Amino acid sequence: MFPGGQPDMSELLRQAQQMQQQLAAAQEQLAQEEVTGTAGGDLVSVTMTGQGEVTAVTIAPAAVDPDDLETLQDLLVAAFRDASRAVNELTADRMGPLAGGLGGGMGLPGL
């Protein structure tokens, strides 16, 4: 440590490397997890990975009315939004503690 309580460069580099490893592990975990968004009382569902990749779309037969495609389209949009919201929550849950550490005394501008 330098006088005045500032960490030396090797300590900063060690902390940055440790944070990078934790972020990579959290991103890998997100890639393995899935969330599902629904709409219309589960008439439509969309499943995404924690990184936002769509892995499945399910449409119940009751949601399909050839004379009213607009409702089905609205249900799909709502299910995608619900799944995206769930991905954001999952990401905040997994990455939040790590992101909080970025500004926590490392002394690096922008982090």
Side-chain angles (χ1 to χ4, degrees):
M1 290 270 191
F2 287 111
Q6 295 294 323
D8 63 26
M9 185 56 76
S10 63
E11 179 63 17
L12 288 174
L13 291 174
R14 185 193 67 73
Q15 289 177 3
Q17 184 178 28
Q18 182 180 22
M19 181 67 64
Q20 185 177 21
Q21 290 169 347
Q22 291 172 339
L23 285 171
Q27 288 172 335
E28 179 61 31
Q29 183 181 8
L30 282 172
Q32 302 302 316
E33 294 188 54
E34 289 188 333
V35 297
T36 300
T38 62
D42 295 336
L43 288 175
V44 175
S45 68
V46 173
T47 302
M48 295 180 164
T49 68
Q51 292 183 322
E53 179 184 340
V54 176
T55 58
V57 174
T58 304
I59 301 171
V64 181
D65 179 353
D67 296 325
D68 186 13
L69 291 178
E70 188 174 322
T71 297
L72 177 57
Q73 292 164 347
D74 290 344
L75 288 172
L76 282 165
V77 169
F80 273 96
R81 284 185 181 150
D82 191 42
S84 181
R85 176 203 49 77
V87 166
N88 289 338
E89 287 178 7
L90 181 65
T91 300
D93 182 55
R94 299 291 185 267
M95 302 294 271
L98 296 174
L102 290 176
M106 285 181 51
L108 298 176
L111 293 181

